């Protein structure tokens, strides 16, 4: 059993929950938090008993960014040799669907952590932004790349160049948020969405997430070939037979992950 300092980790049914827990620093993502989040997410990802992961913070802050105090005195060479944010690529590579449940501040690395997730649920109190430009730097955990892909160039440039914060409604209109929910319902909705996903066939979840990822990385023709190969290969699973038999028999499917 791994013990963690900066996060709380719990499995409820088929859902793995990771709750950022550095309240005194508004869940700022220091190196320890990065490694703990990655280890917890990879642990859930390796477990076939887990079909969805939820990452959340506190009411006040999902995460207020990378830890500024930890980075402040580093040189450019230190940051290169540390590969300071390198481990986040492992979080983004998790095969299991990941839901970000965002309340309060999701700034800098906090916004970028949400952008590494597959579904972003936002409380109506959430505030997103990339304030790095005000610190003399730029986003370093994927913000310039994922925001352009998710929001388009002009909205992304507005956020990255001005550093301004946007609320949940503007974030939803911009395509940065999947759904906005009343703050008091955020965790319940996240639990329902995650339970619903986790009850699906694991091979189809892996295939769906990998195909969605391919859409961000490949030209359309290659993405369509990828999707087609993944779609047809799912007909080799017992879960496909079960899913379609259940439809014909007007009952709920019972997936086994085979
Ligand atoms: N790093 C380290 N500590 C942080 C932090 C961060 N990103 N954000 C907040 N904290 C700390 C504060 O220093 C403060 O600690 P002390 O009490 O010890 O001073 C504590 O959390 C509470 O914060 P505030 O007193 O500032 O709370 P507030 O309600 O007045 O303001 C806030 C909240 C607007 C979010 C403000 O804290 C803030 O602007 N934080 C920094 C946001 C930011 O610039 N994020 C980008 C970081 S760089 C980055 O993320 C790079 C990347 O791309 C990965």
């Amino acid at each position: 059993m791994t013990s963690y300092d900066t996060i709380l980790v719990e499995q409820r049914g088929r859902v793995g929950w990771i709750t950022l827990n550095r309240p005194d620093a508004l869940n700022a993502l220091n190196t320890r938090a990065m490694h703990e989040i990655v280890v917890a997410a990879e642990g859930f990802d390796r477990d076939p008993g887990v079909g969805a992961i939820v990452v959340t913070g506190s009411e006040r802050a999902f995460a207020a960014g990378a830890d500024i105090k930890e980075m402040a005195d580093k040189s450019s060479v230190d940051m290169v040799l540390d590969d300071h944010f390198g481990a986040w690529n492992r979080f983004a590579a998790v095969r299991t669907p990941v839901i970000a449940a965002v309340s309060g501040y999701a700034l800098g690395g906090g916004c970028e952590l949400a952008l590494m997730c597959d579904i972003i649920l936002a409380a109506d109190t959430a505030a997103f932004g990339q304030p790095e430009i005000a610190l003399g730097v730029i986003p370093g955990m994927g913000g310039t790349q994922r925001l352009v892909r998710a929001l388009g160039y002009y909205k992304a440039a507005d956020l990255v160049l001005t550093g301004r914060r946007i609320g949940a409604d503007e974030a939803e209109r911009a395509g940065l948020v999947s759904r906005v929910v009343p703050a008091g319902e955020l965790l319940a909705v996240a639990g329902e969405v995650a339970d619903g996903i986790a009850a699906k066939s694991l091979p189809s979840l892996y295939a769906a997430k990998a195909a969605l990822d391919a859409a961000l990385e490949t030209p359309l023709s290659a993405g369509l070939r990828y999707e087609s190969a993944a779609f047809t290969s799912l007909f080799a699973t017992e879960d496909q037979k079960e899913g379609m038999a259940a439809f014909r028999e007007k009952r709920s499917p019972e997936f086994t992950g085979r």
Side-chain angles (χ1 to χ4, degrees), residues 68 129-139 159-165:
I68 299 169
Q130 297 289 160
E132 290 90 344
I133 202 79
L135 298 169
V137 292
I138 66 169
L159 294 178
V160 170
L161 296 177
T162 69
R164 79 181 175 96
R165 271 185 235 155

Side-chain angles (χ1 to χ4, degrees), residues 56-77:
T56 193
S58 66
E59 227 175 283
R60 190 167 166 221
F62 178 71
D67 192 313
I68 299 169
K69 293 167 187 167
E70 185 185 59
M71 292 183 290
D73 294 328
K74 296 206 184 230
S75 70
S76 173
V77 169

Side-chain angles (χ1 to χ4, degrees), residues 32-89:
R32 181 158 191 128
M34 170 177 72
H35 286 297
E36 291 189 352
I37 293 165
V38 168
V39 165
E42 287 183 337
F44 285 137
D45 195 36
R46 278 193 299 271
D47 182 348
V50 172
I53 298 168
V54 178
V55 178
T56 193
S58 66
E59 227 175 283
R60 190 167 166 221
F62 178 71
D67 192 313
I68 299 169
K69 293 167 187 167
E70 185 185 59
M71 292 183 290
D73 294 328
K74 296 206 184 230
S75 70
S76 173
V77 169
D78 292 335
M79 293 299 278
V80 172
L81 295 183
D82 272 8
D83 190 16
H84 195 74
F85 297 134
W88 287 115
N89 293 328

Side-chain angles (χ1 to χ4, degrees), residues 211 214-215 218-232:
T218 57
L220 180 62
S221 55
L224 290 173
R225 275 196 302 280
Y226 183 91
E227 182 193 81
S228 179
F231 175 75
T232 51

